[in-house]
Amino acid sequence: MAEVSLPFESKYWPYKKYSEMYNRSLRDPESFWDKEARKLDWFKTWDTVLDWQPPFARWFVGGKLNACYQCVDRHIKTWRRSKVAIYWESELGESRILSYSTLYRAVNKFASVLKNLGVGKGDKVALYLPMIPELPISMLACSRIGAIHTVIFSGFSAQALADRLNDTQAKLLVTVDAGFRRGKPLKLKEIVEEAISLSPSIEKTIVIRRAGIAVEMKSGRDFWLHDLLAKAAPFVPPEPVESNHPLYILYTSGTTGKPKGIVHSTGGYCVFNHSMYQWVFDIKEESVYWCTADVGWVTGHSSIVYAPLIHGAAQVLYEGTPDYPAVDRYWDIIEKYGVTIFYTSPTAIRMLMRYGEEPVKKHDLSSLEVLGSVGEAINPEAWLWYYKNIGGERCPIVDTWWQTETGGIMISPTPGIECVPLKPGSVTFPLPGIAADIVGEGGQPVPPGEKGYLVIKAPWPGMLMGIHQDPQRYQESYWSKFPGMFYTGDYAIRDNDGYFWILGRADEVLKIAGHRIGTIEIEDAAVSHPAVAEAAVASKPDPIKGQSLVIFAILKQGVSPSPELNKEIKEHIRHTIGPVAIPDEIYFIAKLPKTRSGKIMRRVLRAVASDASVGDLSTLEDEASVEEVKRAYEELKREV
Ligand code: PRX
């Protein structure tokens, strides 16, 4: 294991409570996590806290538990049976309120439906659903019976859905007739039909009636949920699983065209989520929490489903977008339910900032106590607007850094322990148990003020177990750049006070409106259009989305560029991946800037896309000479 330095007795760490806990957690992680794990309900206690066979960590080995039991059963044994679990709000303002006991009943019945369709422990179930209560219900129903869920974001296209189904080999898929997006039905069952024709593993589907539109149902394969529920049992015993039984697989983008199926455990994941949620959000029995993320991403898995429900928290689940039907939608919901903890993305804040303070002032936001930010860096201007206008200058902002792979929040202020002084744009300090550091090319820690790679030097319970069916890719992606350290793929810097600042991705992964997309995935989608011979993707700064996409495309011989073709390629990408991957610009060019060894000079693309200079050439990230880079830059600039 890499040596973890503890610089925390120094002047950086005047925060006594936090630094005492942090130091204790790193000095003796096993006894620290052992104590944290005892806060959950286990059917059998573990034999070993951590079995670390790098790069594979197994936590709480031999322990038996059930994730769904943590989320519902343990609450209905207490007064919380009558506590609100979910305030669901539809796009148009309908609401459905589920108490812990109604959630418990719904989950049990759904679990019975799954069992009646032949789903059992270890089977994979795909969930392709909008933000309706049945999404967390079906996730919990899977974990109740030991089935492994894989949620696919409902904004993905048929092809992207099929790719993920084929990788997981899911046998059952749950969907809706249609969801709603800005008042229009988004016909998910129709997309599923196309995806299933490419995914032979799917034997059955469950369809939830949400929009009430007519859909094609294939007899013997497709079943309406309401028909199945009529025959469901009211109780299904929770299946005790070993701590390292996979809870779910969630796909995310990496540096190749193929998405990675990130596998999370049951025990370690639940323990980590339980602890981090308390530390970061200072959750209290009377809190009303709202995370605006989609459950289709990791934020939703951890920060909507598992962490809040394990705590027995009351939360809002919202179906729609921030500005529909009106630009004060978020503020209206905060007032309606008396939200105390509000967790959203920088993109949403920047978007809502554009409308000024008037829509905010129409609402009483005095219930708010803690604000959160996630998914991308928040610029100081947006941070200050959020702090002043939404938090009324009294709520700390927890800027939370984490990843699909980390399972939960890793670096963030922790008002649940001690609120350190905040700096707009900084994620502050790592959570207890998280051995975060910033290192240079050789793996050596960099001094304050110097940019380096963000790494984690010891396993933590929320850490991914691996990549589904690809241990080699797991090893290569995370553990080969710096042996013994988990490589996050992000650049970061620590300032003179020891605060962490995240500087963005160091690899070929982009963050567009907080969504994680690989450049190669988009390039593959572009070249699958018959007119495109070669394509390279770059990002440029965007005032709302943080980054936006630009494609440089070389057309096949004989094909002429035209605005129609430009539109057609965008449509093709939308159809292949989904709306999140549609580029803002496509430039048709004759030649891509490449090094002699054939590597695309991405820095040149970035500079041209953002209309910036090519910047500091002292580090030759593209293995090209300074002259080559300059020449390629000038040539490409002339072309676009
Ligand atoms: O680049 C970092 C950025 O989002 C990446 C992880 O993306 P994903 O797996 O989709 O998970 C996002 C939600 C947890 C990171 O590698 N990122 C995440 N949070 C922050 C961030 N960048 C800056 N500041 C953050 N708070």
Side-chain angles (χ1 to χ4, degrees), residues 13 39 121 126 135 164 186 207 235 303 347 390 402 458 495 563 595-596 601 605:
W13 302 82
K39 296 176 183 169
K121 186 175 172 186
L135 179 46
R164 287 154 179 78
L186 180 65
V207 185
F235 175 72
S303 308
T347 292
I390 309 306
W402 54 302
D495 68 16
T595 61
R596 267 162 296 176
M601 295 189 235
L605 297 180

Side-chain angles (χ1 to χ4, degrees), residues 299 375-377 399-404 490 502 505 511 516:
T299 312
E376 50 183 318
D399 180 357
T400 61
W401 176 87
W402 54 302
Q403 308 181 302
T404 308
D490 277 335
I502 309 295
R505 298 288 307 193
K511 281 260 132 177
R516 178 166 160 181

Side-chain angles (χ1 to χ4, degrees), residues 440-457:
E441 282 299 342
Q444 78 291 357
V446 296
E450 204 171 290
K451 174 175 166 181
Y453 300 96
L454 181 64
V455 294
I456 316 294
K457 290 180 157 178

Side-chain angles (χ1 to χ4, degrees), residues 334 338-342 365-371 390-391 394-395:
I334 292 175
V339 170
T340 60
I341 306 170
F342 178 60
L365 304 184
S366 60
S367 57
L368 287 170
E369 291 170 4
V370 177
L371 301 176
I390 309 306
R394 64 175 193 284
C395 307

Side-chain angles (χ1 to χ4, degrees), residues 125-271:
V125 176
L127 309 174
Y128 185 61
L129 290 168
M131 289 283 283
I132 55 175
E134 284 75 9
L135 179 46
I137 289 169
S138 53
M139 289 162 79
L140 295 175
C142 288
S143 42
R144 188 166 195 84
I145 61 171
I148 301 162
H149 58 73
T150 181
V151 180
I152 295 123
F153 173 55
S154 60
F156 277 127
S157 69
Q159 181 63 55
L161 171 59
D163 290 345
R164 287 154 179 78
L165 296 176
N166 288 333
D167 190 80
T168 9
Q169 291 293 300
K171 61 189 234 183
L172 182 110
L173 181 143
V174 184
T175 191
V176 281
D177 50 358
F180 286 106
R181 185 123 184 124
R182 298 178 178 277
K184 290 201 199 90
L186 180 65
K187 296 180 183 167
L188 297 191
K189 176 65 170 64
E190 221 172 85
I191 300 174
V192 162
E193 206 57 49
E194 193 184 333
I196 291 186
S197 67
L198 308 166
S199 316
S201 70
I202 296 291
E203 293 163 10
K204 289 175 183 150
T205 78
I206 299 176
V207 185
I208 299 164
R209 183 169 278 156
R210 161 77 190 111
I213 61 164
V215 292
E216 190 191 322
M217 297 286 281
K218 209 178 203 172
S219 165
R221 188 197 68 185
D222 300 337
F223 303 88
W224 285 109
L225 178 68
H226 51 262
D227 291 340
L228 300 171
L229 283 174
K231 287 173 242 143
F235 175 72
V236 169
E239 177 78 32
V241 297
E242 201 274 337
S243 172
N244 295 282
H245 179 72
L247 179 60
Y248 66 79
I249 301 172
L250 180 60
Y251 286 86
T252 191
S253 297
T255 51
T256 72
K258 192 171 175 289
K260 303 187 267 199
I262 303 300
V263 185
H264 278 292
S265 72
T266 304
Y269 177 83
C270 287
V271 169

